[in-house]
Amino acid sequence: AVDCSTCRSGTYSYTGSASCITCDAGYYSEEASSACTRCDIGTWSNTSAASCASCNPGTYSGTGAASCTDCEAGKWSNRSASSCESCVGGRWSNASASSCIVCVAGKYSSEGDPACDACELGKYSGKGEITCIACQAGTYQDQRGSDTCLNCTRGRYSDRTGADTCSPAIQGTYCPRVGMTTPDKCASASEFGGEYTSDEGSDTCGVCIAAYYMNADGKCIEKGKGVIKEAGTAGTTLSTMSIEEGYWRYTSTSTQVYECTYPMNCEGGVNGSVGDLICSKGSRGPLCTVCSDDGPGYFIDTHQQMCVACSAEQVPWYTWAVVALLAAAVIGGLVAMALKLKDTRARLRRWVRANHDSLGRLSDTFTVAW
């Protein structure tokens, strides 16, 4: 009789078999086995396996597996796992992960997310967060993926949560502190008052309203007569005062404005124009009362209340007055002479008539030789 051979590990045989049969992948057998055994969950095998191997961390398997399957991104597993676990919120993973990674500050994730998302504008987060937090009123964030919010700077404010920018304080209001949720009004501020206002985005009320100007001490002083105070002239300072027509100012540091003797000589000026700069052409000096001798020369025309250029067509009134007086004198003299001559001739005729006989006798005494 022939002895039977023992099947080696990884093979098996039936009663009466002429040879041993190889175990399939996902199965294993010990020596002298009559059948192969399926690999348990979390293990695997190639063909002819004497045992099943455990799945590595980051992989998993069911029963009878010929290989382990990688965990997908957002999941993880320990060794010999039958399935992968989802990463909890605030964590993430790549594929084949044996553990999940905490989201850094400025990012967040939900359960099973393969990556952390950056916080939106106007929001922030700490480390390992499942959501981002909106910035509080008075703060903002203009960058994605931020881990904090920024205070609104002076002159700006934010009156809502989740702001990605701060709004500038409008004209007439101001924000003197950082992190303000609403601006203060200049008119109702105890340190200022109704005569003060502000430019847009200001942290103080450093501008005077149209009817006032700011003096050298930073105080708003009511504009006097002759200073332009219409709407649109807010922010005037002592050096930028605009002067009305008919008025004159000596220097840009003068607080006194004078009414001109000859109003038309004073054109007025804007943005601090003073002295000769606000005199009309042909005039200069204090209150623009001096007529210039430039070019043809100028003279004061009292009717027009201004300096007027001298010309052949335009002679000063006093010149015409002198001419008129001289003409009157000449005409008067001629009339007087004519009247005097007429009187003399009349007397001569009366004398001749009265002495006619005597003149006849006198003529007879003369002998004329022809």
Side-chain angles (χ1 to χ4, degrees):
V2 178
D3 293 333
C4 292
S5 299
T6 301
C7 288
R8 61 182 176 79
S9 299
T11 64
Y12 72 98
S13 67
Y14 301 111
T15 302
S17 296
S19 63
C20 295
I21 304 169
T22 300
C23 291
D24 293 333
Y27 290 80
Y28 73 99
S29 71
E30 296 178 351
E31 187 178 60
S33 294
S34 61
C36 294
T37 304
R38 185 191 300 268
C39 290
D40 290 335
I41 56 176
T43 63
W44 66 283
S45 73
N46 290 318
T47 59
S48 306
S51 63
C52 294
S54 296
C55 289
N56 290 328
T59 65
Y60 70 98
S61 73
T63 59
S67 64
C68 297
T69 304
D70 291 335
C71 292
E72 60 188 36
K75 295 185 178 183
W76 67 283
S77 72
N78 289 320
R79 181 178 294 276
S80 302
S82 61
S83 64
C84 297
E85 300 288 336
S86 293
C87 294
V88 297
R91 295 172 178 262
W92 67 283
S93 73
N94 291 316
S96 306
S98 61
S99 64
C100 297
I101 304 169
V102 177
C103 292
V104 298
K107 294 187 176 184
Y108 72 99
S109 71
S110 299
E111 182 180 350
D113 282 349
C116 300
D117 294 323
C119 291
E120 301 172 352
L121 302 182
K123 295 183 178 182
Y124 74 100
S125 75
K127 184 171 64 175
E129 297 292 343
I130 62 174
T131 186
C132 295
I133 304 170
C135 294
Q136 295 181 341
T139 66
Y140 75 103
Q141 182 50 257
D142 59 357
Q143 300 292 325
R144 290 176 56 85
S146 297
D147 60 358
T148 187
C149 292
L150 307 174
N151 282 323
C152 294
T153 56
R154 293 194 304 175
R156 304 178 75 86
Y157 71 98
S158 169
D159 58 1
R160 61 184 179 86
T161 59
D164 60 5
T165 185
C166 297
S167 302
I170 63 173
Q171 188 178 35
T173 67
Y174 69 113
C175 294
R177 301 174 301 280
V178 299
M180 292 190 65
T181 60
T182 185
D184 295 333
K185 293 182 179 179
C186 294
S188 51
S190 58
E191 66 267 41
F192 297 112
E195 65 270 28
Y196 289 84
T197 185
S198 66
D199 293 325
E200 185 180 272
S202 294
D203 61 0
T204 186
C205 298
V207 177
C208 300
I209 62 175
Y212 289 74
Y213 73 92
M214 185 165 287
N215 68 7
D217 297 324
K219 301 295 183 182
C220 287
I221 307 298
E222 187 172 6
K223 293 176 181 177
K225 187 177 180 181
V227 181
I228 295 175
K229 54 182 72 70
E230 284 78 6
T233 59
T236 299
T237 64
L238 181 63
S239 62
T240 63
M241 281 199 298
S242 298
I243 307 303
E244 294 179 350
E245 184 178 345
Y247 291 84
W248 185 84
R249 185 176 175 222
Y250 183 55
T251 69
S252 60
T253 58
S254 302
T255 58
Q256 185 67 44
V257 176
Y258 301 92
E259 189 169 2
C260 293
T261 306
Y262 303 107
M264 298 305 294
N265 270 0
C266 300
E267 293 184 333
V270 297
N271 296 327
S273 296
V274 294
D276 289 351
L277 294 176
I278 58 177
C279 294
S280 63
K281 184 178 180 180
S283 64
R284 57 184 174 80
L287 280 69
C288 306
T289 54
V290 179
C291 292
S292 173
D293 54 4
D294 294 339
Y298 292 81
F299 70 96
I300 283 291
D301 185 325
T302 56
H303 177 70
Q304 297 187 56
Q305 295 287 290
M306 66 183 297
C307 292
V308 178
C310 299
S311 66
E313 293 77 18
Q314 192 169 30
V315 180
W317 64 271
Y318 49 79
T319 301
W320 288 116
V322 171
V323 171
L325 288 174
L326 291 175
V330 171
I331 293 172
L334 292 174
V335 170
M337 290 176 62
L339 291 175
K340 185 176 181 179
L341 180 59
K342 182 178 180 181
D343 182 61
T344 301
R345 292 176 63 185
R347 283 184 290 170
L348 180 59
R349 283 195 297 270
R350 288 195 299 271
W351 182 83
V352 170
R353 284 196 298 270
N355 297 279
H356 180 271
D357 293 338
S358 297
L359 290 172
R361 287 192 297 270
L362 180 61
S363 64
D364 291 340
T365 63
F366 290 97
T367 301
V368 179
W370 302 99

PDB file of all heavy atoms in Angstrom, residues 254-268:
ATOM      1  N   SER A 254      -5.324 138.578   9.246  1.00  0.00           N
ATOM      2  CA  SER A 254      -6.171 139.652   9.762  1.00  0.00           C
ATOM      3  C   SER A 254      -7.569 139.126  10.073  1.00  0.00           C
ATOM      4  O   SER A 254      -8.152 138.394   9.278  1.00  0.00           O
ATOM      5  CB  SER A 254      -6.275 140.790   8.741  1.00  0.00           C
ATOM      6  OG  SER A 254      -5.003 141.299   8.419  1.00  0.00           O
ATOM      7  N   THR A 255      -8.088 139.524  11.207  1.00  0.00           N
ATOM      8  CA  THR A 255      -9.473 139.179  11.540  1.00  0.00           C
ATOM      9  C   THR A 255     -10.434 140.283  11.132  1.00  0.00           C
ATOM     10  O   THR A 255     -11.646 140.064  11.060  1.00  0.00           O
ATOM     11  CB  THR A 255      -9.606 138.933  13.055  1.00  0.00           C
ATOM     12  OG1 THR A 255      -9.192 140.112  13.771  1.00  0.00           O
ATOM     13  CG2 THR A 255      -8.741 137.752  13.487  1.00  0.00           C
ATOM     14  N   GLN A 256      -9.894 141.488  10.848  1.00  0.00           N
ATOM     15  CA  GLN A 256     -10.730 142.626  10.494  1.00  0.00           C
ATOM     16  C   GLN A 256     -10.917 142.702   8.970  1.00  0.00           C
ATOM     17  O   GLN A 256      -9.959 142.587   8.206  1.00  0.00           O
ATOM     18  CB  GLN A 256     -10.083 143.932  10.986  1.00  0.00           C
ATOM     19  CG  GLN A 256     -10.926 145.165  10.779  1.00  0.00           C
ATOM     20  CD  GLN A 256     -12.182 145.152  11.633  1.00  0.00           C
ATOM     21  OE1 GLN A 256     -12.140 144.808  12.803  1.00  0.00           O
ATOM     22  NE2 GLN A 256     -13.297 145.496  11.041  1.00  0.00           N
ATOM     23  N   VAL A 257     -12.170 142.897   8.552  1.00  0.00           N
ATOM     24  CA  VAL A 257     -12.506 143.079   7.140  1.00  0.00           C
ATOM     25  C   VAL A 257     -13.131 144.461   6.995  1.00  0.00           C
ATOM     26  O   VAL A 257     -14.033 144.832   7.759  1.00  0.00           O
ATOM     27  CB  VAL A 257     -13.482 141.988   6.652  1.00  0.00           C
ATOM     28  CG1 VAL A 257     -13.904 142.248   5.212  1.00  0.00           C
ATOM     29  CG2 VAL A 257     -12.827 140.613   6.773  1.00  0.00           C
ATOM     30  N   TYR A 258     -12.673 145.249   6.010  1.00  0.00           N
ATOM     31  CA  TYR A 258     -13.094 146.640   5.865  1.00  0.00           C
ATOM     32  C   TYR A 258     -14.009 146.824   4.658  1.00  0.00           C
ATOM     33  O   TYR A 258     -13.806 146.186   3.623  1.00  0.00           O
ATOM     34  CB  TYR A 258     -11.873 147.549   5.690  1.00  0.00           C
ATOM     35  CG  TYR A 258     -10.901 147.483   6.842  1.00  0.00           C
ATOM     36  CD1 TYR A 258      -9.840 146.584   6.809  1.00  0.00           C
ATOM     37  CD2 TYR A 258     -11.035 148.317   7.952  1.00  0.00           C
ATOM     38  CE1 TYR A 258      -8.926 146.513   7.865  1.00  0.00           C
ATOM     39  CE2 TYR A 258     -10.134 148.249   9.009  1.00  0.00           C
ATOM     40  CZ  TYR A 258      -9.088 147.349   8.966  1.00  0.00           C
ATOM     41  OH  TYR A 258      -8.193 147.277   9.995  1.00  0.00           O
ATOM     42  N   GLU A 259     -14.975 147.712   4.808  1.00  0.00           N
ATOM     43  CA  GLU A 259     -15.832 148.083   3.675  1.00  0.00           C
ATOM     44  C   GLU A 259     -15.087 149.123   2.842  1.00  0.00           C
ATOM     45  O   GLU A 259     -14.530 150.083   3.380  1.00  0.00           O
ATOM     46  CB  GLU A 259     -17.162 148.645   4.171  1.00  0.00           C
ATOM     47  CG  GLU A 259     -18.176 148.856   3.064  1.00  0.00           C
ATOM     48  CD  GLU A 259     -19.564 149.169   3.600  1.00  0.00           C
ATOM     49  OE1 GLU A 259     -19.716 149.264   4.836  1.00  0.00           O
ATOM     50  OE2 GLU A 259     -20.490 149.317   2.789  1.00  0.00           O
ATOM     51  N   CYS A 260     -15.047 148.939   1.537  1.00  0.00           N
ATOM     52  CA  CYS A 260     -14.244 149.793   0.667  1.00  0.00           C
ATOM     53  C   CYS A 260     -14.907 151.144   0.421  1.00  0.00           C
ATOM     54  O   CYS A 260     -16.138 151.247   0.289  1.00  0.00           O
ATOM     55  CB  CYS A 260     -13.993 149.095  -0.672  1.00  0.00           C
ATOM     56  SG  CYS A 260     -12.951 147.637  -0.515  1.00  0.00           S
ATOM     57  N   THR A 261     -14.077 152.199   0.339  1.00  0.00           N
ATOM     58  CA  THR A 261     -14.560 153.547   0.018  1.00  0.00           C
ATOM     59  C   THR A 261     -15.145 153.582  -1.395  1.00  0.00           C
ATOM     60  O   THR A 261     -16.171 154.202  -1.644  1.00  0.00           O
ATOM     61  CB  THR A 261     -13.402 154.548   0.130  1.00  0.00           C
ATOM     62  OG1 THR A 261     -12.810 154.435   1.420  1.00  0.00           O
ATOM     63  CG2 THR A 261     -13.899 155.969  -0.093  1.00  0.00           C
ATOM     64  N   TYR A 262     -14.458 152.917  -2.306  1.00  0.00           N
ATOM     65  CA  TYR A 262     -14.916 152.786  -3.680  1.00  0.00           C
ATOM     66  C   TYR A 262     -15.222 151.302  -3.925  1.00  0.00           C
ATOM     67  O   TYR A 262     -14.318 150.534  -4.282  1.00  0.00           O
ATOM     68  CB  TYR A 262     -13.868 153.308  -4.661  1.00  0.00           C
ATOM     69  CG  TYR A 262     -13.483 154.742  -4.409  1.00  0.00           C
ATOM     70  CD1 TYR A 262     -12.238 155.065  -3.847  1.00  0.00           C
ATOM     71  CD2 TYR A 262     -14.367 155.784  -4.700  1.00  0.00           C
ATOM     72  CE1 TYR A 262     -11.885 156.371  -3.599  1.00  0.00           C
ATOM     73  CE2 TYR A 262     -14.025 157.100  -4.448  1.00  0.00           C
ATOM     74  CZ  TYR A 262     -12.789 157.396  -3.899  1.00  0.00           C
ATOM     75  OH  TYR A 262     -12.453 158.696  -3.641  1.00  0.00           O
ATOM     76  N   PRO A 263     -16.472 150.872  -3.711  1.00  0.00           N
ATOM     77  CA  PRO A 263     -16.819 149.434  -3.717  1.00  0.00           C
ATOM     78  C   PRO A 263     -16.398 148.692  -4.969  1.00  0.00           C
ATOM     79  O   PRO A 263     -15.980 147.540  -4.904  1.00  0.00           O
ATOM     80  CB  PRO A 263     -18.340 149.440  -3.548  1.00  0.00           C
ATOM     81  CG  PRO A 263     -18.643 150.742  -2.875  1.00  0.00           C
ATOM     82  CD  PRO A 263     -17.653 151.709  -3.419  1.00  0.00           C
ATOM     83  N   MET A 264     -16.499 149.363  -6.136  1.00  0.00           N
ATOM     84  CA  MET A 264     -16.191 148.673  -7.381  1.00  0.00           C
ATOM     85  C   MET A 264     -14.692 148.412  -7.541  1.00  0.00           C
ATOM     86  O   MET A 264     -14.288 147.613  -8.387  1.00  0.00           O
ATOM     87  CB  MET A 264     -16.719 149.461  -8.578  1.00  0.00           C
ATOM     88  CG  MET A 264     -18.229 149.638  -8.592  1.00  0.00           C
ATOM     89  SD  MET A 264     -19.115 148.068  -8.488  1.00  0.00           S
ATOM     90  CE  MET A 264     -18.655 147.326 -10.045  1.00  0.00           C
ATOM     91  N   ASN A 265     -13.871 149.083  -6.746  1.00  0.00           N
ATOM     92  CA  ASN A 265     -12.437 148.805  -6.777  1.00  0.00           C
ATOM     93  C   ASN A 265     -12.103 147.484  -6.092  1.00  0.00           C
ATOM     94  O   ASN A 265     -11.040 146.909  -6.318  1.00  0.00           O
ATOM     95  CB  ASN A 265     -11.665 149.927  -6.082  1.00  0.00           C
ATOM     96  CG  ASN A 265     -11.277 151.032  -7.052  1.00  0.00           C
ATOM     97  OD1 ASN A 265     -11.587 150.960  -8.234  1.00  0.00           O
ATOM     98  ND2 ASN A 265     -10.624 152.061  -6.545  1.00  0.00           N
ATOM     99  N   CYS A 266     -13.007 147.000  -5.224  1.00  0.00           N
ATOM    100  CA  CYS A 266     -12.739 145.798  -4.422  1.00  0.00           C
ATOM    101  C   CYS A 266     -13.533 144.624  -4.986  1.00  0.00           C
ATOM    102  O   CYS A 266     -14.755 144.552  -4.836  1.00  0.00           O
ATOM    103  CB  CYS A 266     -13.113 146.040  -2.962  1.00  0.00           C
ATOM    104  SG  CYS A 266     -12.192 147.406  -2.204  1.00  0.00           S
ATOM    105  N   GLU A 267     -12.814 143.718  -5.653  1.00  0.00           N
ATOM    106  CA  GLU A 267     -13.467 142.592  -6.311  1.00  0.00           C
ATOM    107  C   GLU A 267     -13.771 141.438  -5.363  1.00  0.00           C
ATOM    108  O   GLU A 267     -14.536 140.546  -5.689  1.00  0.00           O
ATOM    109  CB  GLU A 267     -12.583 142.073  -7.451  1.00  0.00           C
ATOM    110  CG  GLU A 267     -12.429 143.049  -8.602  1.00  0.00           C
ATOM    111  CD  GLU A 267     -11.630 142.449  -9.748  1.00  0.00           C
ATOM    112  OE1 GLU A 267     -10.796 141.554  -9.477  1.00  0.00           O
ATOM    113  OE2 GLU A 267     -11.849 142.865 -10.891  1.00  0.00           O
ATOM    114  N   GLY A 268     -13.159 141.442  -4.174  1.00  0.00           N
ATOM    115  CA  GLY A 268     -13.305 140.291  -3.291  1.00  0.00           C
ATOM    116  C   GLY A 268     -12.394 139.164  -3.749  1.00  0.00           C
ATOM    117  O   GLY A 268     -11.744 139.240  -4.792  1.00  0.00           O
TER     118      GLY A 268
END
